[in-house]
Amino acid sequence: MRIDIVTIFPEYFGVLDVSLLGRAREDGILDVQVHDLRAFTHDRHRTVDDKPYGGGAGMVMKPEPWGEALDAILDLDATAGEVDARLPPRDAPLVIFPSPAGEVFTQAMARELSTAGHLVFGCGRYEGIDQRVFEYAGSRASVRLVSLGDYVLNGGEVAVMAMIEAIGRLIPGVIGNPESLVEESHEDGLLEYPSYTKPAEWRGYEVPPVLMGGNHGAIATWRRDAQLERTRLVRPDLLPPE
Ligand code: SAM
């Protein structure tokens, strides 16, 4: 998968060099390119924001640098010669703008996006991006506004990191044992059961005996019951109506 990120803080994405995503990049499974929005400005101060029309507090990201950045990234799709030969051919790009006003990011969305060939993320800052940028992007590619949740961050970078991590770990080859993805929270609509490892007793706390008995049917039943109980207590909204 090819991922392009546009941001005024490229250094935020240094963490993509480490851990499983770092290895996926080394292995050619993920091709991540980070673009500094200020590289697409033409004034001495490399200005990316201005006062909002109509007044009000805060600044709005100007459309011109965004237009040039999107053109540069999306035009690359038209000249596929620059693509890393180890990667699958690119398909139609999807542009994602993180926004608290967008549709809420879910595990189902992460799974859907993990099959995409090319994702472009545009990180907003200040009061957000001039609305016309979304319209222009939509004239060139599919566009989605995606929210991490019902709260407001200072910028899109953290939201994009979270999305890339959730999407990236679902791409075949990124996680060593794909079976570990199957039984996780939100995969079957429930929260995951509690996990334990050695020692069997630690500081007076014991592992539930059923997990050490070797009866796989009983273990499966215990885990299912624990999933239902945890979901009922913490996230009853996830349970189907009775
Ligand atoms: N004025 C905007 C509003 O009320 O909808 C909030 C702007 S916020 C301070 C700046 C940027 O942070 C946004 O453009 C977006 O990129 C990002 N952001 C903030 N909260 C977010 C969330 N819950 N999910 C995804 N991105 C978020």
Coordinates of all heavy atoms in Angstrom, one line a residue, residues 146-184:
V146 N -12.8 11.9 8.2 CA -12.9 10.8 9.2 C -12.5 11.4 10.6 O -11.5 12.0 10.8 CB -12.0 9.6 8.8 CG1 -12.1 8.5 9.9 CG2 -12.4 9.1 7.5
S147 N -13.3 11.1 11.6 CA -13.1 11.5 13.0 C -12.6 10.3 13.8 O -13.1 9.2 13.7 CB -14.4 12.0 13.6 OG -14.2 12.2 14.9
L148 N -11.7 10.7 14.7 CA -11.2 9.6 15.6 C -12.2 9.4 16.8 O -12.2 8.4 17.4 CB -9.8 10.1 16.2 CG -8.8 9.0 16.4 CD1 -8.5 8.2 15.2 CD2 -7.5 9.6 16.9
G149 N -13.0 10.4 17.0 CA -13.9 10.3 18.1 C -14.5 11.7 18.4 O -14.1 12.7 17.9
D150 N -15.4 11.7 19.4 CA -16.1 13.0 19.7 C -15.3 13.9 20.7 O -15.8 14.1 21.8 CB -17.5 12.7 20.2 CG -18.4 12.0 19.2 OD1 -18.1 12.1 18.0 OD2 -19.4 11.4 19.5
Y151 N -14.2 14.3 20.2 CA -13.4 15.3 20.9 C -12.5 16.0 19.9 O -12.5 15.6 18.8 CB -12.5 14.6 22.0 CG -11.9 13.3 21.4 CD1 -10.7 13.4 20.6 CD2 -12.4 12.1 21.6 CE1 -10.1 12.2 20.1 CE2 -11.9 10.9 21.1 CZ -10.7 11.0 20.4 OH -10.2 9.9 19.8
V152 N -11.9 17.1 20.4 CA -11.1 17.9 19.4 C -9.6 17.9 19.7 O -9.2 18.2 20.8 CB -11.6 19.4 19.4 CG1 -10.8 20.2 18.4 CG2 -13.1 19.4 19.0
L153 N -8.8 17.5 18.7 CA -7.4 17.5 18.8 C -6.8 18.8 18.3 O -7.6 19.5 17.6 CB -6.8 16.3 18.0 CG -7.3 14.9 18.4 CD1 -7.0 13.9 17.3 CD2 -6.7 14.5 19.7
N154 N -5.6 19.1 18.5 CA -5.0 20.3 18.0 C -4.7 20.2 16.5 O -4.6 21.2 15.8 CB -3.6 20.6 18.7 CG -3.8 21.1 20.0 OD1 -4.9 21.7 20.3 ND2 -2.8 20.9 20.9
G155 N -4.5 18.9 16.0 CA -4.2 18.7 14.6 C -4.5 17.3 14.2 O -4.8 16.5 15.0
G156 N -4.4 17.1 12.9 CA -4.8 15.8 12.3 C -3.7 14.7 12.5 O -4.0 13.5 12.2
E157 N -2.5 15.1 12.9 CA -1.4 14.2 12.9 C -1.6 13.0 13.7 O -1.3 11.8 13.3 CB -0.1 14.9 13.3 CG 0.5 15.8 12.2 CD -0.2 17.2 12.1 OE1 -1.1 17.5 13.0 OE2 0.0 17.9 11.2
V158 N -2.0 13.2 15.0 CA -2.2 12.1 15.9 C -3.4 11.2 15.4 O -3.3 9.9 15.4 CB -2.6 12.6 17.3 CG1 -3.1 11.5 18.2 CG2 -1.3 13.2 17.9
A159 N -4.4 11.8 14.8 CA -5.5 11.0 14.2 C -5.0 10.1 13.1 O -5.3 8.9 12.9 CB -6.6 11.9 13.8
V160 N -4.1 10.7 12.2 CA -3.6 10.0 11.1 C -2.7 8.8 11.5 O -2.8 7.7 11.0 CB -2.9 10.9 10.1 CG1 -2.1 10.1 9.1 CG2 -3.9 11.8 9.4
M161 N -1.9 9.1 12.6 CA -1.0 8.0 13.1 C -1.9 6.9 13.6 O -1.6 5.7 13.3 CB -0.2 8.5 14.3 CG 1.2 9.0 13.9 SD 2.1 7.9 12.9 CE 2.0 6.4 13.8
A162 N -3.0 7.2 14.3 CA -3.8 6.1 14.9 C -4.5 5.3 13.7 O -4.5 4.1 13.7 CB -4.9 6.7 15.7
M163 N -4.9 6.0 12.7 CA -5.6 5.4 11.6 C -4.6 4.5 10.8 O -4.9 3.3 10.5 CB -6.2 6.4 10.6 CG -7.4 7.0 11.1 SD -8.3 8.0 9.9 CE -8.1 9.6 10.5
I164 N -3.4 5.0 10.6 CA -2.4 4.2 9.9 C -2.0 3.0 10.6 O -1.8 1.9 10.1 CB -1.1 5.1 9.5 CG1 -1.5 6.1 8.5 CG2 0.0 4.2 9.0 CD1 -0.3 7.1 8.2
E165 N -1.9 3.1 12.0 CA -1.6 1.9 12.8 C -2.7 0.9 12.7 O -2.4 -0.3 12.5 CB -1.3 2.3 14.2 CG -0.9 1.1 15.0 CD 0.2 1.4 16.0 OE1 1.1 2.2 15.7 OE2 0.2 0.8 17.1
A166 N -3.9 1.3 12.8 CA -5.1 0.4 12.8 C -5.2 -0.2 11.4 O -5.5 -1.5 11.3 CB -6.3 1.1 13.2
I167 N -5.0 0.5 10.4 CA -5.1 0.0 9.0 C -3.9 -0.9 8.7 O -4.1 -2.0 8.2 CB -5.2 1.2 8.0 CG1 -6.5 2.0 8.2 CG2 -5.1 0.6 6.5 CD1 -6.4 3.3 7.5
G168 N -2.7 -0.4 9.0 CA -1.5 -1.1 8.6 C -1.4 -2.5 9.2 O -1.0 -3.4 8.5
R169 N -1.8 -2.7 10.4 CA -1.7 -4.0 11.1 C -2.6 -5.0 10.4 O -2.5 -6.2 10.7 CB -1.8 -3.9 12.6 CG -3.2 -3.5 13.0 CD -3.2 -3.0 14.5 NE -2.7 -4.0 15.4 CZ -3.5 -5.0 15.9 NH1 -4.8 -5.1 15.5 NH2 -3.0 -5.9 16.7
L170 N -3.6 -4.6 9.6 CA -4.5 -5.5 9.0 C -4.0 -5.9 7.6 O -4.6 -6.8 6.9 CB -5.9 -4.9 8.9 CG -6.6 -4.5 10.2 CD1 -7.9 -3.8 10.0 CD2 -6.8 -5.8 11.0
I171 N -2.9 -5.3 7.1 CA -2.4 -5.6 5.8 C -1.6 -6.9 5.9 O -0.8 -7.0 6.7 CB -1.5 -4.5 5.2 CG1 -2.3 -3.2 5.1 CG2 -0.9 -4.8 3.9 CD1 -1.5 -2.0 4.7
P172 N -2.0 -7.9 5.0 CA -1.3 -9.2 5.1 C 0.3 -9.0 5.1 O 0.8 -8.2 4.3 CB -1.7 -9.9 3.8 CG -3.1 -9.3 3.5 CD -3.0 -7.8 3.9
G173 N 0.9 -9.7 6.0 CA 2.4 -9.6 6.1 C 2.9 -8.7 7.2 O 4.1 -8.7 7.6
V174 N 2.1 -7.7 7.7 CA 2.5 -6.7 8.6 C 2.7 -7.4 10.0 O 3.6 -7.2 10.7 CB 1.6 -5.5 8.7 CG1 2.0 -4.6 9.8 CG2 1.7 -4.8 7.3
I175 N 1.7 -8.2 10.4 CA 1.7 -8.9 11.7 C 2.1 -10.3 11.4 O 1.5 -11.0 10.5 CB 0.3 -8.8 12.4 CG1 0.1 -7.4 12.8 CG2 0.2 -9.8 13.5 CD1 -0.5 -7.1 14.1
G176 N 3.1 -10.8 12.2 CA 3.6 -12.1 11.9 C 2.6 -13.2 11.9 O 2.5 -14.0 11.0
N177 N 1.7 -13.3 13.0 CA 0.7 -14.3 13.1 C -0.7 -13.7 12.8 O -1.3 -13.1 13.7 CB 0.8 -15.0 14.4 CG -0.3 -16.0 14.6 OD1 -1.0 -16.3 13.7 ND2 -0.3 -16.7 15.8
P178 N -1.2 -13.8 11.6 CA -2.5 -13.2 11.3 C -3.6 -13.7 12.2 O -4.6 -13.0 12.4 CB -2.8 -13.5 9.8 CG -1.7 -14.5 9.4 CD -0.7 -14.6 10.5
E179 N -3.5 -14.9 12.8 CA -4.6 -15.4 13.7 C -4.7 -14.5 14.9 O -5.8 -14.4 15.5 CB -4.2 -16.8 14.1 CG -4.5 -17.8 13.1 CD -4.4 -19.2 13.6 OE1 -4.5 -19.4 14.8 OE2 -4.2 -20.1 12.7
S180 N -3.7 -13.7 15.3 CA -3.8 -12.9 16.5 C -4.8 -11.7 16.2 O -5.2 -11.0 17.1 CB -2.4 -12.4 16.9 OG -1.9 -11.5 15.9
L181 N -5.1 -11.5 14.9 CA -6.0 -10.4 14.6 C -7.4 -10.8 14.7 O -8.3 -9.9 14.9 CB -5.8 -9.9 13.1 CG -4.4 -9.4 12.8 CD1 -4.3 -9.1 11.3 CD2 -4.1 -8.1 13.5
V182 N -7.7 -12.1 14.7 CA -9.1 -12.6 14.6 C -9.9 -12.3 15.9 O -11.0 -11.9 15.8 CB -9.1 -14.1 14.2 CG1 -10.5 -14.6 14.2 CG2 -8.4 -14.3 12.9
E183 N -9.2 -12.6 17.0 CA -10.0 -12.6 18.3 C -9.9 -11.2 19.0 O -10.0 -11.2 20.2 CB -9.5 -13.7 19.2 CG -9.8 -15.1 18.6 CD -9.7 -16.2 19.7 OE1 -9.3 -15.9 20.8 OE2 -10.1 -17.3 19.3
E184 N -9.7 -10.2 18.3 CA -9.5 -8.9 19.0 C -10.8 -8.1 19.2 O -11.8 -8.4 18.6 CB -8.5 -8.0 18.2 CG -7.1 -8.6 18.4 CD -6.0 -7.7 17.8 OE1 -6.2 -7.4 16.6 OE2 -5.1 -7.4 18.5

